[in-house]
Amino acid sequence: MSAEQYHWWQQGVIYHVYPRSFMDSDGDGIGDLPGIVGRLDYLQWLGVDAIWLSPIFPSPMADFGYDVSDYTAIDPVFGTMEDFDRLVSEAHARGLRVLLDFVANHTSEHHPWFLESRSSRHSPKRDWYIWRDPAPGGGPPNNWLSAFGGSAWEWDDRTGQYYYHAFLKEQPDLNWRNPDVQQAMLDAMRFWFERGVDGFRLDAIWHLIKDDQFRDNPPNPDYKPNDPPYYRLLPVFTTDRPEIHPILAMMRRLADAYGDRVLIGEIYLPVERLVAYYGMHEPELHLPYNFQLVLLPWDARRIQAAIDVYEALLPPGAWPNWVLGNHDRPRVASRVGRAQARVAAMLLLTLRGTPTVYYGDEIGMVNVEIPAEAAKDPLEHTVGHGFGRDPERTPMQWDSTPNAGFTPGDPWLPLSPDYPVYNVEAQRTDPRSILTLYRRLLALRRAEPALSVGRYRSLPAEGELVAYLRADDAQRFLVALNFGSWVRRYSCRQLGLRGEIALSTYLDREGERVEGEVLLRPDEGVVVRLID
Ligand code: GLC
Ligand code: MG
């Protein structure tokens, strides 16, 4: 296949914007849509292809937008529908696609549907949510737990039943077995497709359907005392239920009716279960998110094995994807350290499949310690201290002026104290910065289809090294990554290793000839253009 036969979402790179923290245009301390519009030139300069925006819909913000009270409008804190239309047209004018976050599993408790549903047992919308009587002896109907702490069942005094919430009690789960719910939600997707959005990231999608017999979840034999309480049980009756697949196929038919759109799913499941979400009998998601690089320990052997297993398990025609970070997980530079974060960037952007870059990772942003009185994420309270996600959601660091140029007002979360050094302005002209590395990797990937859509072949490597080949009919590249802090040599008998360095994570070796072996400094990764 030539590069032109691939879809944009196969060759492109997705950039994840957390709108509250990207750019504030009106001084309320919260990022907004006009702010994002003002930074599109930066994203174009960086060289990404699409932006995914965490939710921008009207929301009481119990979970910062993941509790939606109207699926077809814009929350005033982010701007207006006109601002949104302008964002789409300005992005498209720069060749950038726009993806929205579709919170399908649950609404806000303030959504009119839920208000109606909870108003009476006889409400026509009662069955739009999951209501149950107490257990025979009283108390919640079964042992199901909320991912955000405590029972997943919330008592409603007025109507004398419990409702189910996989996340906060402010986020009641929709009953996706009800065809009216399906229609209403598909209508909402249609609304945004009509406005020109290029696809959706489907939030918490593996939670969509729960067991129709409401069986108790079994205990998790691997539960460790410091794990969040949710992990006490195996969520086999609350997630990954078989009836989800026809619903995803229905969403896919809708997306396909609009042409070249993409459906991405947030799914935390082991790879052998994840791959089912490409579609069992008919096409479902284009990209079920693959979080292995986020979840695995940063160990060369574990990572190389995970890549190989994933490649091997992909069903025919399924397109891979890779993620290094998101708004729910500690930042990569904090997990692996700043030196290895550069190696991680090279890995992310040279693997086969669609990469997603989390905003700020390209300038090496780290988790920011948030003083207790400034904490915003409800998980800090519901799950417990240290489980809050504020540290990875702090404002983007644009320059060295007050508040890093993010806002003229009071930022909703504190900024990292390192922003005078780690900011876009300082790094964009620095030939050795991590931002320059990201930009060069993105440019190389764009110029060389072998690196985006080419074949992947694992190469033998030992200890702290990861090595693989990326090739199409025109070019072959060796990628060799040193996960350790000692000098290493990589050589490979299977490979006529002759070529020149196209890029090093140190940004100082381009054009260097290599023959027989390649020397890797501590924390160094290289892309070698092979010559036959
Ligand atoms: C997803 C989101 C997370 C949110 C949760 C509930 O996991 O990524 O931020 O809190 O769903 O909507
Ligand atoms: Mg604002």
Side-chain angles (χ1 to χ4, degrees), residues 59-108:
S59 166
M61 302 288 167
D63 190 19
F64 295 106
Y66 286 94
D67 48 323
V68 177
S69 54
D70 181 350
Y71 285 95
T72 54
I74 302 292
D75 193 287
V77 83
F78 296 122
T80 62
M81 196 56 90
E82 289 67 47
D83 294 330
F84 177 77
D85 289 341
R86 200 160 73 83
L87 170 60
V88 172
S89 63
E90 296 276 338
H92 285 173
R94 289 168 178 77
L96 291 165
R97 314 276 174 151
V98 178
L99 311 178
L100 292 184
D101 204 320
F102 195 62
V103 190
N105 179 69
H106 44 267
T107 70
S108 159

Side-chain angles (χ1 to χ4, degrees), residues 132-205:
R132 299 289 285 175
D133 288 332
N142 62 22
N143 74 351
W144 292 356
L145 295 174
S146 156
F148 287 175
S151 168
W153 295 101
E154 180 71 11
W155 176 249
D156 180 61
D157 228 1
R158 181 147 41 131
T159 56
Q161 281 188 313
Y162 286 90
Y163 66 86
Y164 176 78
H165 58 93
F167 298 94
L168 299 174
K169 67 173 170 35
E170 292 84 358
Q171 296 167 297
D173 279 43
L174 284 163
N175 174 17
W176 271 87
R177 293 177 187 273
N178 183 322
D180 295 336
V181 169
Q182 298 175 5
Q183 275 326 307
M185 291 299 274
L186 284 161
D187 283 348
M189 293 176 85
R190 202 171 281 124
F191 174 90
W192 295 107
F193 279 140
E194 295 284 344
R195 289 202 105 84
V197 315
D198 299 286
F200 293 100
R201 174 263 193 190
L202 304 172
D203 180 66
I205 203 72

Side-chain angles (χ1 to χ4, degrees), residues 273-347:
R273 300 209 59 95
L274 179 71
V275 293
Y277 287 77
Y278 284 103
M280 305 280 276
H281 308 291
E282 4 167 24
E284 296 175 27
L285 302 179
H286 301 86
L287 303 172
Y289 257 149
N290 162 25
F291 292 122
Q292 293 182 92
L293 298 182
V294 178
L295 301 174
L296 283 173
W298 199 247
D299 170 90
R301 300 278 51 76
R302 296 277 301 269
I303 299 276
Q304 182 143 11
I307 300 166
D308 295 350
V309 169
Y310 177 64
E311 280 278 352
L313 284 175
L314 288 171
W319 190 249
N321 75 85
W322 298 96
V323 182
L324 269 186
N326 61 38
H327 63 301
D328 296 325
R329 304 282 159 170
R331 283 204 180 258
V332 62
S334 294
R335 281 190 289 123
V336 307
R338 271 195 163 124
Q340 278 296 311
R342 299 172 77 112
V343 174
M346 184 170 274
L347 176 69

Side-chain angles (χ1 to χ4, degrees), residues 229-272:
Y230 177 67
Y231 294 115
R232 280 179 197 285
L233 304 179
L234 294 174
V236 293
F237 291 117
T238 41
T239 60
D240 193 28
R241 300 304 302 162
E243 301 96 317
I244 189 174
H245 294 288
I247 294 176
L248 295 180
M250 192 163 72
M251 291 181 178
R252 174 63 176 265
R253 286 195 295 277
L254 177 69
D256 285 349
Y258 283 93
D260 209 9
R261 317 286 169 114
V262 68
L263 294 181
I264 306 174
E266 185 205 22
I267 301 171
Y268 284 94
L269 285 177
V271 168
E272 56 280 10

